[in-house]
Structure formats: C-alpha cells, structure tokens
Amino acid sequence: MSRLVYFDCASGASGDMLLGALVDLGLPIDALATELQKLPLPGYRLAAHKVHRAGLHATKVDVVLASDHTHDHGHGHEHAHHHGHSRGLLDILRLLDHSALDGAVRDRAAACFRRLAEAEGEVHGVPPETVHFHEVGAVDSIVDVVGGVIGLAWLKADRFAASPLNVGTGTIEMAHGTYPVPPPATARLVHGVPVYGAGERVLVLEAEIDDMQPQLYGPLLARLFDAGALDAYLTPVQMKKNRPGTLVTAIAPPARRAAVEEVFFAETTTLGVRSQEWDRTTLAREVIAVETAYGSVGVKVGRRGGQVTNAQPEFEDCQRVASAAGVPVKEVWAAAIAAWRERSRNP
C-alpha cells in the first residue's frame, strides 16, 4: 500500500520543525536518539516536550548541545542553540561514511548535504567540495538533517508532496553578515519550487508639517530610508486654519521605530509623530537577469503561491545600459520586458 507524506509549509520549514512533527506522529524519541547514535557525532542530546503555538498543541524537539565551557564553580551546563563549529561538505560526508546508519538513510542524508553545498557553491562561485558550512555545519543542524531522514524512513513513505514554501521576509544575521530573507543560498536552493512571502507587522509613522522649507524634504526622505524605513513619501494636505501642509509618512519595521522617529525630530519642524501598526503582505521576489540587444538588465519578479504576479525591469539597470548604449531609457525598458516575456514562454 502506497504511503504519501504531505508537508504543509505555511509557517516555513526547518529541521527542528520536521523532527517535532515526526515525534508528534509517533516516532519514539528514544528510537530516534538510538539511530542517531550510529553517527559519530558526540556532544549533544535530544529533548522533546509539548508546546502550544497560536492555541494549537504541538511537539518541540531540541538538540541540546554540551557546552564547551563551564561555570567558575566547575559544573558544566548545556545550551539549546547553534554551535559555532564550521564543517565542510567533505567533513560531513566522512561522518556519514563512517557511521553505522542504514544505507538508504546514509545515502539520502548525503544527497541533502550535497544539494546544500551545490547551492552554497553557486552563490559563492566555488566548487561544492570546497564549501564550508557555518550554520549547517553545526552539530544541531547535522542532527536535524540526519534525524529528519531517519524519521521519514521510519514512516515508510514512498511518495512526498508539499505546499508552497513560506520563505518569510525581513533580514537574517548569518556568518557572512546581514542578508535579506530568503538569503542567497536558500533562494538558489528553492529555485523552481513554489514559494510565497510571509505577512509581517510594520509601523506607519507620520507627521503633518506646515512650516518647513520645501528644499528640506528631499534630504528628509533620504535620511528616513537610511534609518531603515521600508518606504517614505509626501502627501499634500489641508491643515487647520486652512493652511496648506505636507504629511510625511514612513513605513518601517518595529525594530527601526526609534531610529526613524529620531530622523523626524532632527530633520523636520514637527513636535510630534503619530504611529500605528499595520499588517503587510509581500510577494516572494527575486531578480532575474535577461539579455537585451543593449546589454544585461535585471528584472524583479514577484510570486504568490509559486505563480508570477509581477515582473518589472530594474530602473537603475535600464538607466545604466541606456547610458552606455546611447539610447533612450524607454527603449531599454521595453527590450527588457520583451526579453522577460520570451524567457517566460521558453524557460
């Protein structure tokens, strides 16, 4: 009898989420731990406990790492967060080769890490064999991946399906710096897979001004963007005593509220800033290069549920290419649109 495993990825997908779902389905945590012991990877233990998320019951599985330092009084302690150790693809493949894992589990886990290395290699311009994982090379990430493969083998499934993958929005701190979500390697990894962006909360900050020199609004908008505003714009308004004025609006992540407010007070004449919290839904997006008769132009593509809903050439690219070719920007723009449409018809 065929068995299908369906992944509902409305809240994204991660190794610990998969382990928690498998244990909730009935995979004994002790059995999972026993199988993982066949991998020569010391310094951790598994812990499972019940949690409630948004009113729903669930199981959370933590990979608890043994600390590499101790308190002054000599008692060791443990942490349930990522360890900073970096391993290369070849290091992880050697771990799997030297393990006593079932052959099918070992091969599938190795295939997962190879695919991850291929994605990392593509964005860094290096061969997969030379890739060094930072986050993925940590003990808990290796356990997440191998444990997930063990659990799926325990289910004895022969078919797999998934909903569109929620890749999220915002930024993430990684070993190489701060990146937009999804970061480059993840975007490469899910290329061709239906994805969508998550909703997020943003703050709308605004102030009405009727006594400021108009020349000051340009620098004001630039400073708001520098402070972390996602968008900023001006709207003409009619204020009290029938005076014409300007409504300055900035949309920003909650974490950037203080910085954006500082710009309002430093760069305008306002004595107060109003704020309210909004929901914001964004499309999953990527920039795809297309070739035109004038040169290469990036096209920003937005997707919802895996379907393309918008595609627009990057204006700065069009300006640069038009200037180099000595043609109007609108000609390059039209050529980029035509190239994108041709690419879409013949992927």
Side-chain angles (χ1 to χ4, degrees):
M1 180 177 175
S2 178
R3 176 173 288 188
L4 169 71
V5 172
Y6 177 75
F7 297 86
D8 184 357
C9 303
S11 296
S14 65
D16 59 342
M17 292 166 69
L18 177 58
L19 289 183
L22 288 165
V23 171
D24 216 34
L25 279 171
L27 172 63
I29 188 70
D30 291 340
L32 175 60
T34 297
E35 286 299 306
L36 281 167
Q37 286 173 6
K38 297 178 181 179
L39 186 70
L41 187 68
Y44 74 94
R45 63 179 176 84
L46 296 182
H49 57 280
K50 301 297 183 183
V51 295
H52 290 272
R53 295 288 187 267
L56 299 177
H57 165 85
T59 297
K60 190 173 191 307
V61 174
D62 289 321
V63 181
V64 184
L65 305 180
S67 174
D68 57 1
H69 63 280
T70 60
H71 289 300
D72 291 340
H73 51 66
H75 295 291
H77 65 289
E78 296 172 310
H79 296 279
H81 56 70
H82 285 278
H83 200 280
H85 189 64
S86 168
R87 288 182 174 84
L89 172 63
L90 298 181
D91 297 325
I92 295 175
L93 293 181
R94 276 192 290 270
L95 275 176
L96 292 168
D97 286 340
H98 294 152
S99 74
L101 292 166
D102 176 79
V105 169
R106 185 173 60 246
D107 292 345
R108 287 173 183 165
C112 290
F113 286 109
R114 287 194 187 94
R115 183 67 191 93
L116 290 168
E118 288 168 0
E120 287 278 359
E122 287 176 11
V123 300
H124 292 296
V126 299
E129 294 77 16
T130 65
V131 165
H132 264 261
F133 297 116
H134 296 280
E135 290 79 9
V136 177
V139 170
D140 49 351
S141 294
I142 295 174
V143 173
D144 284 345
V145 173
V146 178
V149 174
I150 290 170
L152 293 174
W154 172 84
L155 285 175
K156 295 182 171 59
D158 51 14
R159 292 187 299 143
F160 301 90
S163 70
L165 180 64
N166 185 346
V167 295
T169 58
T171 60
I172 186 172
E173 296 290 335
M174 303 178 67
H176 295 293
T178 302
Y179 287 90
V181 174
T186 302
R188 175 63 63 180
L189 190 65
V190 301
H191 180 68
V193 176
V195 299
Y196 60 92
E200 60 178 326
R201 307 290 282 181
V202 294
L203 283 178
V204 178
L205 301 104
E206 57 186 18
E208 293 173 340
I209 302 169
D210 64 359
D211 58 352
M212 195 167 96
Q213 291 294 321
Q215 297 93 332
L216 299 177
Y217 285 104
L220 166 63
L221 293 181
R223 285 286 311 277
L224 288 170
F225 283 114
D226 289 342
L230 302 171
D231 200 0
Y233 53 90
L234 309 175
T235 306
V237 293
Q238 195 72 18
M239 298 178 60
K240 61 186 179 181
K241 299 181 181 179
N242 294 320
R243 290 199 300 259
T246 300
L247 175 66
V248 181
T249 304
I251 300 174
R256 303 306 302 167
R257 175 175 184 163
V260 171
E261 285 180 340
E262 284 297 322
V263 173
F264 268 97
F265 291 124
E267 297 287 343
T268 78
T269 56
T270 189
L271 299 177
V273 178
R274 296 191 300 264
S275 67
Q276 55 183 312
E277 194 172 69
W278 285 3
D279 288 323
R280 178 175 182 258
T281 301
T282 60
L283 298 177
R285 67 196 76 177
E286 64 177 321
V287 176
I288 296 176
V290 298
E291 295 301 324
T292 74
Y294 309 107
S296 179
V297 175
V299 175
K300 184 178 291 182
V301 180
R303 290 185 174 87
R304 183 178 176 88
Q307 301 298 313
V308 174
T309 61
N310 195 19
Q312 293 291 330
E314 293 278 33
F315 188 73
E316 290 80 3
D317 285 1
C318 292
Q319 282 185 307
R320 171 181 52 78
V321 171
S323 176
V327 299
V329 176
K330 65 181 182 181
E331 288 190 19
V332 177
W333 180 281
I337 288 291
W340 164 254
R341 289 174 178 166
E342 179 64 24
R343 177 191 175 112
S344 300
R345 286 193 293 267
N346 302 286

